Amino acid sequence: METAQENASLSRELSPDPAPYRCSACHGNEDRSPPGPLRGRAKSRSLSASPALGSTKEFRRTRSLHGPCPVTTFGPKACVLQNPQTIMHIQDPASQRLTWNKCPKSVLVIKKIRDASLLQPFKQLCEYLMEENNMIVYVEKKVLEDPAIVSDENFGPVKKKFCTFREDYDDISNQIDFIICLGGDGTLLYASSLFQGSVPPVMAFHLGSLGFLTPFSFENFQAQVAQVVEGNAAIVLRSRLKVRVAKAPRGAQAAIQNGLRKNGVLAPDLDPEVGKQVMQYQVLNEVVIDRGPSSYLSNVDVYLDGHLITTVQGDGVIVSTPTGSTAYAAAAGASMIHPNVPAIMLTPICPHSLSFRPIVVPAGVELKIMLSPEARNTVWVSFDGRRRQEIGYGDSISITTSCYPLPSICVRDPVSDWFESLAQCLHWNVRKKQSHFPEDEDGDAGTGQG
């Protein structure tokens, strides 16, 4: 009975908005309304993302530790092709397919800035999308300000057809059907930062330096783009982190140190965000808390679902998604996790302890990180390498799995593409192979290193 209740809760999308969300194209007449509390159980605190990005209300979550059920509509026209052959509502990664409710008509092209080698591929792609597919192409305004594009007279007629936007000024989240990235992994991270809610499907071409997250080659881009537009493509849902940063007014003193009772549990009668400036981010790779320019060790308290689990004393700590497990976390000694695994990684950076190993926690928990009262200095936090800011006494960083994943289009399937990236980009388990024994020698001669 307990398992049935938890499985049922996985399929619900919880929202503080009383109006039901209806997606007739993807899920028939399914209503997604905030359900009432389960009988016999107290309401639990929210660990899932909220569609109301600026709201500071307390949200409810599913009781499963596997994290919130991801929203499977991506932008205005894309969604996951429903597969009835699922086990416990967890779809086989190889069977995740993209489908379109309507033919996509608008595409956002993200190009790596200040890279002259990408100008020709960028022009070829945009001409193909506009002239042969009759699509509306969005680009960032500063891309068209590149001197090489401004001085190209042959590109002039196409350039006039672009729709432009400015980051942090123009909201294009409801205008884009899918995204094409030209460059390295940074272009995918940038695409994620532009969409704080539902993310359209992303097709990433490897034209950068590493390319772990960009599986497509540009040589035959016409056929590959045509295949995606037709809806014949596999996707991997890369989970993101919903991060809330609450900053206390400087000089304010907390009634209880970090809001703790004597048993190390957060006091429930205190609202830690009252009177604070609250900011929210969607993070694809990792949240990094480090000591910044200070020469002292950082000292931060880590809570899991309101309980103090440890104090990190060292250069800092990394909280990453499975996608981010192959980035900074891998360099810090963490394991690499496939993007389909529902988890959050906690990796210390140069901890002042020989026993502090990286850990993996369920995707549905909430982590809260605060500066320890005994800390000698403040710490700094960044989100996918951006928005770097100082965290002082009384500030808090709340982290959980977002219900808005990034749908990344695959060349083959999520499993094959991931192992291909491990081999090609990180040279995973590359070594000189041991030679076999010659046929004329005794096979029992030993197992030497030669």
Side-chain angles (χ1 to χ4, degrees):
M1 187 65 184
E2 179 70 14
T3 303
Q5 286 183 347
E6 292 194 0
N7 288 343
S9 68
L10 276 170
S11 62
R12 299 175 184 142
E13 286 297 326
L14 304 182
S15 170
D17 191 349
Y21 170 74
R22 184 186 299 273
C23 180
S24 58
C26 300
H27 305 286
N29 294 323
E30 178 183 357
D31 286 341
R32 296 182 179 179
S33 304
L38 294 175
R39 186 165 53 189
R41 295 283 183 119
K43 294 181 181 180
S44 56
R45 294 192 310 160
S46 163
L47 299 184
S48 61
S50 165
L53 298 179
S55 175
T56 58
K57 296 179 181 178
E58 184 170 271
F59 311 121
R60 293 187 298 275
R61 67 156 197 182
T62 60
R63 282 168 39 246
S64 171
L65 292 179
H66 295 292
C69 183
V71 173
T72 54
T73 55
F74 315 122
K77 299 177 182 176
C79 63
V80 169
L81 181 65
Q82 297 301 305
N83 180 7
Q85 297 180 349
T86 58
I87 301 175
M88 293 180 63
H89 303 281
I90 299 175
Q91 198 167 11
D92 176 14
S95 69
Q96 292 178 175
R97 309 292 299 183
L98 173 69
T99 188
W100 300 101
N101 304 322
K102 298 179 181 179
C103 183
K105 290 298 182 183
S106 60
V107 56
L108 169 62
V109 178
I110 296 178
K111 184 184 80 72
K112 186 178 180 182
I113 305 297
R114 296 185 298 273
D115 192 338
S117 65
L118 296 183
L119 293 179
Q120 191 60 30
F122 172 72
K123 295 175 184 178
Q124 293 176 359
L125 175 65
C126 294
E127 289 174 352
Y128 170 77
L129 294 172
M130 291 180 177
E131 298 176 358
E132 298 191 29
N133 288 272
N134 196 27
M135 286 188 169
I136 302 172
V137 178
Y138 286 77
V139 295
E140 195 172 4
K141 188 175 181 180
K142 60 184 178 182
V143 171
L144 298 183
E145 296 172 352
D146 190 305
I149 293 180
V150 173
S151 60
D152 191 341
E153 297 180 356
N154 297 328
F155 195 59
V158 177
K159 186 171 60 176
K160 295 178 181 179
K161 299 180 181 179
F162 283 114
C163 292
T164 60
F165 72 96
R166 296 172 299 168
E167 184 186 7
D168 296 331
Y169 287 93
D170 302 318
D171 183 12
I172 59 171
S173 56
N174 293 323
Q175 313 286 334
I176 306 301
D177 294 335
F178 78 107
I179 305 169
I180 296 179
C181 295
L182 303 177
D185 294 347
T187 58
L188 196 70
L189 297 175
Y190 179 67
S192 172
S193 69
L194 293 176
F195 296 85
Q196 295 299 298
S198 177
V199 186
V202 181
M203 185 179 189
F205 286 94
H206 178 202
L207 293 169
S209 55
L210 182 60
F212 192 91
L213 306 178
T214 54
F216 285 92
S217 176
F218 194 77
E219 280 73 17
N220 56 340
F221 74 93
Q222 295 95 336
Q224 294 173 326
V225 172
Q227 189 175 9
V228 170
V229 172
E230 292 170 0
N232 184 19
I235 59 172
V236 55
L237 302 185
R238 299 186 178 275
S239 65
R240 299 194 294 173
L241 299 175
K242 187 192 78 169
V243 186
R244 294 173 64 87
V245 179
K247 290 197 171 184
R250 290 297 167 250
Q253 298 292 328
I256 302 178
Q257 286 189 348
N258 276 359
L260 283 179
R261 293 191 184 277
K262 293 182 179 179
N263 59 359
V265 180
L266 285 172
D269 54 338
L270 293 178
D271 188 345
E273 295 184 358
V274 170
K276 295 185 179 181
Q277 178 188 7
V278 178
M279 296 160 287
Q280 183 164 302
Y281 307 96
Q282 297 281 335
V283 177
L284 179 61
N285 258 3
E286 74 267 310
V287 179
V288 178
I289 297 99
D290 61 76
R291 63 182 183 175
S294 173
S295 60
Y296 295 110
L297 294 175
S298 65
N299 203 330
V300 295
D301 295 334
V302 180
Y303 305 89
L304 190 148
D305 284 345
H307 294 267
L308 178 65
I309 58 171
T310 192
T311 297
V312 180
Q313 186 167 298
D315 282 354
V317 63
I318 306 168
V319 182
S320 60
T321 63
T323 295
S325 68
T326 54
Y328 193 176
S335 297
M336 294 179 289
I337 302 178
H338 189 274
N340 279 108
V341 177
I344 299 176
M345 294 193 66
L346 188 70
T347 307
I349 306 172
C350 299
H352 199 252
S353 169
L354 297 178
S355 60
F356 197 164
R357 305 297 302 161
I359 61 172
V360 178
V361 297
V365 304
E366 181 184 49
L367 295 172
K368 177 170 283 190
I369 299 176
M370 304 178 72
L371 194 64
S372 177
E374 296 81 21
R376 295 184 176 183
N377 56 284
T378 60
V379 294
W380 290 75
V381 62
S382 61
F383 313 94
D384 284 339
R386 311 180 75 210
R387 315 280 186 183
R388 186 169 172 83
Q389 53 195 272
E390 189 175 15
I391 300 297
Y393 297 98
D395 300 344
S396 65
I397 306 169
S398 300
I399 305 171
T400 190
T401 301
S402 170
C403 66
Y404 296 108
L406 184 142
S408 180
I409 300 174
C410 305
V411 173
R412 287 184 291 176
D413 60 78
V415 176
S416 300
D417 283 12
W418 191 67
F419 279 101
E420 181 73 14
S421 294
L422 286 182
Q424 296 296 324
C425 300
L426 299 183
H427 302 291
W428 178 62
N429 198 28
V430 174
R431 67 178 295 272
K432 186 176 181 180
K433 292 186 177 180
Q434 187 181 44
S435 60
H436 63 83
F437 288 118
E439 295 181 359
D440 56 347
E441 289 189 12
D442 185 7
D444 297 330
T447 56
Q449 296 180 356

